[in-house]
Amino acid sequence: MSQETDMNSSALNAAKTQLRSLMKQRLANISQESIVSQSVNVFESLSKFSPYINAKRLAVYLSMPGGEIQTDPIVKHALSSGKQVFVPYLHKSGLRPGDGPARLMDMVSLKDIDDYESLQRDKWGIPSVDAATVHERKRSVGELNGNRSEDVSLDLILMPGVAFDVDPESKAIRRLGHGRGFYDYFLHRYALAASPQERASNGRPAVLLYALALKEQLLPPSSGESVPVGPHDQPIDGLFLGDGQIKESAKNDTN
């Protein structure tokens, strides 16, 4: 993409920060009633989506109380449908300064609905896995606190985001995250841990990446706004929108 080559690191970070600030203001003005309604639309679209129906192992973010699509119905439906559900778990990386981030995100399994409902909310109101229980759970990339475990491959990852748009040239859907790089670095580690048959031809993990978004989070071409992207920003396969639409990135040789 032209933005990847034209925008230097400092300008890229500044553009991302500016757009996050703008989106934060917009999202704060969306009523809880609208968020609930849009979340229902996304759940209904997803529940009829063949890759979701056929997925045996699903990773999904656990939502904040406001400002994004609520995933509680998705988690409960997936668990009750017999799927293995994995959710984010943040932990210290153990990496030396300069070798990588101080904190990593992994995906760890939920046992059942009771387990999910027992999760305590963190300071952002997000249900969070207790570190004391992690050793009892399966992991999608088996390294926590320096201990290795068997890697578990995923069929579908449902991601959050702050803003999205469609690249006018490639027709790929671009995602602006919350700025901490947890998903991008997780997907990098996931690809490294994957077996050759689990990787696409370009080295990306052969797992479907879909994001969930309120309709206000998709930047229309008429707005004159765009999602700034760099070489480490992972492209996504598609986007579920709160108005019921499913937008797909243009098909290419990455899947």
Side-chain angles (χ1 to χ4, degrees):
M1 295 179 201
S2 60
Q3 278 188 299
E4 290 180 8
T5 54
D6 294 343
M7 191 174 288
N8 64 42
S9 179
S10 59
L12 176 66
N13 290 336
K16 287 183 174 183
T17 299
Q18 183 177 18
L19 183 55
R20 286 189 189 101
S21 178
L22 180 64
M23 292 303 299
K24 182 178 180 180
Q25 295 174 36
R26 290 178 184 170
L27 295 175
N29 292 323
I30 302 175
S31 69
Q32 195 62 27
E33 181 182 12
S34 177
I35 291 171
V36 170
S37 175
Q38 293 194 55
S39 297
V40 169
N41 291 339
V42 166
F43 171 70
E44 290 179 348
S45 298
L46 180 68
S47 64
K48 300 170 187 173
F49 185 57
S50 292
Y52 170 78
I53 294 170
N54 297 328
K56 295 180 179 178
R57 293 173 297 275
L58 165 78
V60 57
Y61 71 93
L62 299 181
S63 50
M64 297 181 289
E68 64 184 0
I69 293 295
Q70 303 297 287
T71 57
D72 179 74
I74 296 170
V75 174
K76 290 179 177 175
H77 181 269
L79 287 168
S80 64
S81 301
K83 302 182 188 298
Q84 284 191 350
V85 177
F86 290 75
V87 298
Y89 172 69
L90 303 178
H91 60 94
K92 292 181 179 179
S93 68
L95 298 173
R96 293 177 299 180
D99 288 348
R103 287 170 62 78
L104 298 177
M105 182 188 78
D106 197 6
M107 294 288 182
V108 299
S109 66
L110 295 174
K111 300 171 188 175
D112 50 35
I113 291 179
D114 287 342
D115 179 33
Y116 166 61
E117 292 185 333
S118 73
L119 300 182
Q120 299 298 304
R121 294 185 179 272
D122 64 15
K123 62 183 179 180
W124 294 284
I126 302 171
S128 299
V129 172
D130 186 344
T133 69
V134 168
H135 69 283
E136 304 167 359
R137 303 177 187 277
K138 294 181 179 178
R139 308 164 194 169
S140 56
V141 181
E143 56 174 278
L144 288 173
N145 302 324
N147 296 319
R148 297 289 302 178
S149 70
E150 183 179 353
D151 297 331
V152 177
S153 61
L154 300 168
D155 300 314
L156 174 64
I157 298 177
L158 300 177
M159 309 167 66
V162 175
F164 304 87
D165 74 353
V166 179
D167 186 300
E169 296 179 6
S170 70
K171 304 304 180 185
I173 297 171
R174 301 183 294 203
R175 166 185 175 268
L176 177 70
H178 288 277
R180 303 176 75 180
F182 285 133
Y183 276 88
D184 290 323
Y185 198 67
F186 166 76
L187 292 169
H188 171 70
R189 291 167 54 236
Y190 185 92
L192 292 177
S195 62
Q197 60 267 31
E198 291 174 335
R199 295 179 196 156
S201 59
N202 67 345
R204 277 186 59 200
V207 55
L208 287 174
L209 306 176
Y210 277 73
L212 313 180
L214 300 164
K215 63 179 188 279
E216 292 86 354
Q217 292 179 280
L218 179 65
L219 305 177
S222 60
S223 70
E225 299 167 336
S226 62
V227 170
V229 294
H232 300 297
D233 293 313
Q234 289 276 355
I236 61 175
D237 296 298
L239 181 67
F240 287 86
L241 284 168
D243 59 6
Q245 291 188 78
I246 305 174
K247 290 193 172 292
E248 307 269 357
S249 283
K251 299 298 180 185
N252 49 42
D253 63 357
T254 62
N255 288 312

